[in-house]
Amino acid sequence: IYTDSIHFDEGSYTMVGNSPTLNWNLGSSLTVDSDASVLFDSSLPVHLINGGTRNWTINGDARFEGTVWGAWAHSVIKKYGSGTLVFDGDVVKGYNYYAARLEVHAGTAIVNGNWDAADGRFDVYYGGTLGGTGTIIAATYLYNQGWGGTIAPGDITGDRIGTLNVSGNVGFNGGSIVNFEVGTTADKLAATGAFNVW
């Protein structure tokens, strides 16, 4: 199945597949309105074909349970909208070993699986929040752009304390927010590389 855009305007949806693969084309979009939710079941393989920018506007909720394959060239998912975008499964390199990276411009993005961003950056902008209990692999930087950008380890959609791992560097610009839940245990941000504050 090849698509340029998918729009969910109301209601609750589950996308499943026993044999088809959902291929998002170059420049394609995903839109989930505020009174809608969609679950991409683990039985549906998802591929980002070709490279470039993909604008996903999530004002409701969208969740990917299974593996998302990276593009056939470098690509970026730009998350807009006040809702929540969750990756429970892994995001892996595509056929030509190209990867996808993530920019959170608004709302919340959760990475609970392993996201292989190769040498790409993860960026959290003003009004955006990045959380999760997964691992961002080989990212050049997990970069909080600051002035309201928030990094919140743990699966904040499930109210779970946890560790967000970064195989690479972490950078914080002025005005960055880091939100750690504490209790008998506490959230953690664990990076293998450098910690930078500008």
Side-chain angles (χ1 to χ4, degrees), residues 166-178:
V166 180
S167 179
N169 304 314
V170 176
F172 293 92
N173 210 341
S176 296
I177 298 170
V178 183

Side-chain angles (χ1 to χ4, degrees), residues 6-195:
I6 303 178
H7 184 182
F8 299 93
D9 59 358
E10 63 179 346
S12 179
Y13 299 87
T14 300
M15 303 286 287
V16 299
N18 293 320
S19 59
T21 297
L22 179 60
N23 297 300
W24 256 300
N25 292 323
L26 169 66
S28 58
S29 64
L30 170 63
T31 303
V32 182
D33 291 347
S34 58
D35 51 356
S37 64
V38 57
L39 169 66
F40 293 88
D41 188 80
S42 59
S43 65
L44 179 66
V46 176
H47 288 206
L48 308 175
I49 62 172
N50 300 316
T53 298
R54 297 154 205 278
N55 295 318
W56 290 7
T57 303
I58 314 297
N59 287 305
D61 295 290
R63 181 179 290 266
F64 290 82
E65 277 191 338
T67 299
V68 176
W69 292 82
W72 298 342
H74 291 297
S75 64
V76 57
I77 296 172
K78 294 188 176 184
K79 195 277 180 194
Y80 298 97
S82 60
T84 302
L85 173 64
V86 181
F87 295 90
D88 285 324
D90 296 338
V91 180
V92 300
K93 294 177 183 177
Y95 293 115
N96 293 330
Y97 303 101
Y98 288 109
R101 63 185 187 88
L102 180 66
E103 293 180 3
V104 187
H105 290 265
T108 301
I110 302 292
V111 177
N112 287 330
N114 296 321
W115 189 313
D116 191 343
D119 58 351
R121 245 172 54 171
F122 266 50
D123 289 281
V124 184
Y125 289 86
Y126 172 81
T129 298
L130 175 67
T133 58
T135 300
I136 300 168
I137 302 170
T140 304
Y141 268 101
L142 168 57
Y143 187 47
N144 194 335
Q145 297 282 356
W147 304 114
T150 302
I151 295 177
D155 187 351
I156 55 180
T157 63
D159 196 27
R160 296 203 313 263
I161 286 176
T163 299
L164 180 62
N165 298 282
V166 180
S167 179
N169 304 314
V170 176
F172 293 92
N173 210 341
S176 296
I177 298 170
V178 183
N179 186 351
F180 291 102
E181 294 291 333
V182 296
T184 55
T185 58
D187 288 330
K188 296 178 182 179
L189 178 62
T192 62
F195 176 76

